[in-house]
Amino acid sequence: MLDADFFRRWLTTAAAAVDREAERLTELDSPIGDADHGSNLQRGFTAVAATLEKEAPDTPGAVLTLAGRQLISTVGGASGPLYGTLLRRTGKALGDAAEVGEAEFADALRTGVDAVAALGGAAPGDKTMLDALVPAVDALPDSFAAARAAAHEGALATTPLQARKGRASYLGERSIGHQDPGATSSALLFEALAETAEGAGHA
């Protein structure tokens, strides 16, 4: 079973990963976006880690809902509302339970991913964060490691795609040949999740 502490550690690990990779995310964003994806997410996840340390919610749902709210209020551009929606809707789907099973978490996360798709009006293949999120959430019932691998592969697979949604879509064919920064940061989230799970003795 996964408790509030597991989710706090996941988001703290994710914040460290975003911090480490912020420069690379901004480099990826530079040719096809506003060159601010890394710095925006870094600011947001640093705020999430600080808030969780201060407030320490006691259920998985409350941890994710609080983190989502924090991202929406501190991250500019599209990524704040999208990541914030992902975490908030996942948290809401988990409800008030003190602990949740891995299958419950996988179902709740799918609800979050569906909310991101609805908000952004995007689908897999549009060269967005969904290209990492959807395969990862499909693989999550198998294992945390499988979800990490699927997210990573999904992010790499955005390189030859033409962007059909978001800022990069304005470039048309010039968006081809660039890895999507949103899919790349989404893969970091699943990397952090697998790392947290391994540390807690979950497969």
Side-chain angles (χ1 to χ4, degrees):
M1 296 293 280
L2 311 172
D3 60 7
D5 187 52
F6 175 88
F7 287 90
R8 274 198 301 274
R9 275 182 288 127
W10 170 32
L11 294 172
T12 305
T13 304
V18 167
D19 195 49
R20 193 175 60 240
E21 298 290 333
E23 211 171 295
R24 186 169 77 98
L25 293 173
T26 290
E27 273 170 26
L28 289 173
D29 195 32
S30 193
I32 59 172
D34 295 323
D36 60 0
H37 187 64
S39 53
N40 277 346
L41 276 192
Q42 188 177 31
R43 185 171 65 250
F45 274 95
T46 299
V48 165
T51 302
L52 289 175
E53 203 174 308
K54 211 166 53 204
E55 297 196 27
D58 56 3
T59 67
V63 170
L64 294 180
T65 305
L66 177 63
R69 274 208 312 271
Q70 193 64 43
L71 287 175
I72 289 167
S73 65
T74 53
V75 181
S79 50
L82 290 167
Y83 272 109
T85 295
L86 174 69
L87 295 180
R88 274 180 66 184
R89 290 300 290 272
T90 302
K92 223 170 167 182
L94 289 175
D96 298 326
E99 293 186 322
V100 297
E102 290 174 27
E104 277 172 273
F105 173 45
D107 287 344
L109 197 55
R110 185 175 296 281
T111 303
V113 171
D114 288 346
V116 169
L119 180 64
D126 286 344
K127 199 180 181 98
T128 70
M129 62 197 291
L130 289 172
D131 288 307
L133 290 178
V134 170
V137 91
D138 284 346
L140 190 56
D142 296 332
S143 71
F144 291 106
R148 170 174 55 195
H152 181 63
E153 281 164 29
L156 289 177
T158 61
T159 304
L161 299 177
Q162 179 173 331
R164 292 201 288 259
K165 290 286 172 187
R167 176 81 174 72
S169 65
Y170 304 153
L171 296 173
E173 286 186 4
R174 283 180 298 142
S175 64
I176 295 170
H178 299 282
Q179 187 172 321
D180 183 66
T184 307
S185 58
S186 295
L188 286 180
L189 209 56
F190 281 92
E191 203 173 289
L193 179 61
E195 201 180 303
T196 306
E198 282 155 12
H202 295 277

